[in-house]
Amino acid sequence: MLRRWSTVVIHMFEALTERLGAAFGRLRGRGRLTEADVDAALAEVRVALLEADVHVDVVRSLLDRVRGRALGAEVMESLTPAQQVVKIVRDELIATLGTRAEPLAEGRPLVILMVGLQGSGKTTTAAKLARMLARQKRNPLLVAADLQRPAAVDQLETLGGAVGVPVFSDKSSRPRRVVRAALKHARQAGHDALVIDTAGRLQIDDRLMDELADIRREARPQEVLLVVDAMTGQDAVNVARGFAERVGVTGVVLSKLDGDARGGAAISIRQVTGVPVKLVGVGEHPDALEPFHPDRMAGRILGMGDVLSLIEKAEETFDHREAERAARKLEEGSFDLDDFLSQFQMLKRMGSLKDILAMLPGAAGALRGIEIDDRDLRRVEAIIRSMTPEERRNPKIIDGSRRRRIAAGSGTNPQDVNRLLRQFAEAQRMMKQLSGGRGLPAGAGRGRRGQTKRKKRKR
Amino acid sequence: MDTTVFLIVAAVVVIGLVLVVALRDRSSTTTPARVPDVKERLAKARRSLTESLRRLGSRGSVDEAFWSQLEETLISADVGVATSGRLVARVRESRPADTQAALDTLRAAMVEVLSDRDRSLRLEGNPAVVLVVGVNGTGKTTTIAKLAHHLMGEGRSVLLAAADTFRAAAVDQLRTWAERIGCDCVAGGERADPAAVAFDAYQAARARGRDVVIVDTAGRLHAKGELMEQLAKIKRVLDREAGSVDEVLLVLDATAGQNGIVQAERFLEVVGVTGLVLAKLDGTAKGGIVLAIESSLGLPVKFVGIGEGMEDLVPFEPAAFVEALLGDL
């Protein structure tokens, strides 16, 4: 088992250092971006974008724009050349996605038509949206115009009940007629917002697309929201183009973003149709609908870890002197459980380990699937906390009886304590090796630290 | 920029993870899949990196436009950067005389990735149990209806288990289908325990002498631990009752992008997927992700969904699939 875990850690560091090597390795202060810098970084970026499901044509045109902007650009003081390129890519992504969150249209009554492929999440989104409108002091009405899928009306009625919004339906009618009746009903009952759920359909299904265009003419909505599954691949472009051309789309809702998909569809759709993403669905809870933030999405799509905001966050939280001391000890191999615990405390203040992990470059993609349960972390902490300071500094003194005491104190068993100690020793050894040898980027060693002290980051 | 702080953050995260997973090893008897999972992921991350480096190195040879068009065609069909790169590299190695020869080699290479797999349904239990799983909105319920219709056409009797007790009206949807097809449907009360529904359905099928039970489950994102654990429980209950579940079918949306691989990996780990159903292939999406899944996980696509009607489920045919994927080339 020991060997297995050491391989894991080494692999992890390879992923981490390779990326970091690109990012920090050729640190040489200011200067201008050379063609080699740009090409090397863009090759990595291309893979990252394609793996995030950004459309291949969109990737190409995006990288062309970036290349143009990057060549000869000045490298900011605080960044390495590679980071500078990534920053330009990120800026370009944000510029494409829209620099701010686009609000929903106004109007009374506000009519919103939900459209999309089968299974994209229209019905769930419709209910969430109705709830959002109700919270904005509107009096919304949900309209069940999906008469295609069995029990879709029942589903909307149940969801409407759950969010406390009335649902207008008539299973025996046709969609267009349902919409007409709903508009009339809304006027009489004083509803100032309507959210119309429609049947899922393929953008190449002429009959159903005509039907949808018909519904649109009847409803005269201020918003036609295309609901797109965040897990959608390259086809997102065709879907969005189809709906935009045949029915007209005013905004996109990216659903199921609470999974681990990177959601490159967002950028493809925006680039190809010009339609902004307005909302994102982030869970099954009725409140799990949020405004879209282009900057967060850019980081997620790049998947290279949001190094800048990680460092920003870390600098706010970490005690510099303490961190320097810990780094030195890490290098010397004398980083003990006490150091780990105190650094870990600071880390926790930055947010959940999972979020931090997601911001680390390289490793993030590989480790995204590992679930880090708070309970697991508490167990680790409990064990270390049940040790005396002496034991934390020098775990070698932990014998059978100490082990039993620690286990009892932390609500675990002696084997757990043993396992943790063994792994820590192994990790310790490896950190030493890596920071001493070629492993860690040039930064872990001497010169870097001096530089760090002097440098104040500029933005 | 403060590299020291960054280094510390990284190091502490790594140590924290190592310790967490070390402790988790103990409980690995109950969730055996987790540890290899980490290893595989890491190995994969490395593979994809070397892959991209290798590709970089091979640039600048003759016919570059053709090769990059070939690669982009595969990528735009959701085959993925890595698998596309591998396929194109293989064709390049064969040094084709002209583009036609290249395309033939590519087709053959793709069909080869998809060959030698048993794509038939194994229905040995009495009753046989088919568990249908997948993320939200891929088309599980509709696929089940089609599958039931298909099996009944072969002369088998079918019972549907409505174990999606989460999504509003999912039970009604399955019931409506059962009425249309003319088969039994067993459901629990409101918010019933899905494992209990699956258990009841199995007992009912045995008592009524049905040949096959098809169990519908709630869509769940594979990244959600609790929901996956609930799915594992359904599987355990069925395994215990039936000896073993005959088929665990993962329904994958043809529009799925690269996340499809992670979906397949996670569902494979948690419930031991035995085959895929590629739904909604009647749209413009090519479903190329299954090429990556078949080659990396060895999971066979067994059926393809090509419409909303009962009849619209057909056996997967590699050659036809490859032909459709390459389209205009």
Side-chain angles (χ1 to χ4, degrees), chain A residues 406-451:
Chain A
I406 294 166
S410 56
T412 55
N413 60 44
Q415 290 95 297
D416 285 339
V417 177
N418 233 355
R419 195 167 280 129
L420 184 131
L421 288 173
R422 255 199 336 250
Q423 287 304 312
F424 185 78
E426 177 76 359
Q428 209 178 15
R429 197 178 57 77
M430 225 140 29
M431 293 289 166
K432 188 179 172 186
Q433 246 175 30
L434 284 164
S435 60
R438 47 148 280 268
L440 282 180
R446 240 117 288 193
R448 180 65 72 86
R449 220 168 24 236
Q451 208 162 24

Side-chain angles (χ1 to χ4, degrees), chain B residues 258-271:
Chain B
Q258 298 311 298
N259 194 251
I261 298 177
V262 195
Q263 286 172 33
E265 282 172 354
R266 283 296 287 153
F267 279 99
L268 177 62
E269 286 161 21
V270 176
V271 284

Side-chain angles (χ1 to χ4, degrees), chain B residues 7 18 48 50 63-64 79 87 89 146 167 217 237 264 267 297 304 316 325:
Chain B
L7 175 68
V18 171
S48 71
T50 38
D63 256 344
E64 207 45 50
V79 173
L87 283 167
K146 295 175 189 171
R167 180 165 59 94
T217 61
V237 166
F267 279 99
L297 302 177
V304 172
F316 178 77
L325 192 146

Side-chain angles (χ1 to χ4, degrees), chain A residues 121-178:
Chain A
K122 287 174 297 304
T123 309
T124 309
T125 306
K128 289 182 194 170
L129 189 54
R131 180 177 172 96
M132 182 184 258
L133 292 168
R135 292 191 151 203
Q136 293 165 3
K137 303 277 178 264
R138 282 186 181 261
N139 179 12
L141 176 70
L142 279 162
V143 182
D146 177 358
L147 305 172
Q148 194 85 18
R149 178 162 57 97
V153 175
D154 304 327
Q155 185 186 356
L156 194 65
E157 273 167 357
T158 310
L159 289 173
V163 299
V165 173
V167 177
F168 186 92
S169 66
D170 179 1
K171 286 185 200 175
S172 62
S173 186
R174 322 262 338 139
R176 185 172 179 165
R177 244 178 276 155
V178 170

